[in-house]
């Protein structure tokens, strides 16, 4: 039986740990989307003049941020406009389902 070096085992274990941590703590995909048609828009359609996200109510925006899901034929599906409703997935993570 072949013996693995301890450094190989340690490096392999560190890789698995790093993948687990980044997958569990990662942010869901964020796209600028037209809420009515669900078509992807340029990012500036969701940002205010100052470069902040769409939290500023003083500016009217065409788009809203859509989290998670997938993009097909320039339309999104399977995600949510509510960031908290999207499961970021990953090994050993728990979260709520999409909506």
């Amino acid at each position: 039986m072949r013996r693995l070096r301890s450094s190989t085992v340690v490096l392999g274990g560190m890789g698995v740990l790093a993948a687990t941590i980044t997958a569990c703590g990662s942010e869901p995909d964020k796209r600028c989307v037209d809420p009515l048609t669900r078509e992807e828009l340029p990012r500036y359609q969701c940002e205010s003049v100052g470069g902040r996200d769409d939290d500023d109510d003083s500016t009217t925006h065409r788009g809203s941020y859509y989290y998670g899901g997938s993009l097909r034929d320039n339309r999104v599906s399977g995600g949510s406009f509510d960031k908290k409703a999207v499961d970021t997935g990953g090994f050993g993570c728990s979260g709520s389902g999409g909506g």
Side-chain angles (χ1 to χ4, degrees):
M1 188 162 130
R2 185 175 159 210
R3 291 185 62 187
L4 294 175
R5 291 185 183 181
S6 61
S7 61
T8 304
V9 174
V10 170
L11 288 176
M14 293 297 284
V16 170
L17 179 62
T20 301
I21 291 171
T22 55
C24 201
S26 64
E27 293 285 317
D29 290 338
K30 177 170 116 173
R31 297 177 176 91
C32 185
V33 173
D34 184 316
L36 299 175
T37 64
R38 301 238 173 170
E39 290 182 21
E40 187 175 31
L41 300 172
R43 190 172 193 91
Y44 68 84
Q45 292 285 344
C46 288
E47 295 176 348
S48 65
V49 176
R52 294 180 308 220
D53 292 346
D54 56 352
D55 296 334
D56 184 9
D57 292 333
S58 65
T59 307
T60 303
H61 305 286
R62 178 175 171 207
S64 296
Y65 284 114
Y66 189 85
Y67 300 93
S70 60
L71 182 67
R72 183 175 182 195
D73 297 329
N74 204 39
R75 292 195 177 189
V76 294
S77 63
S80 176
F81 287 102
D82 181 7
K83 183 178 179 181
K84 295 174 187 164
V86 178
D87 183 10
T88 58
F91 177 75
C93 298
S94 61
S96 60

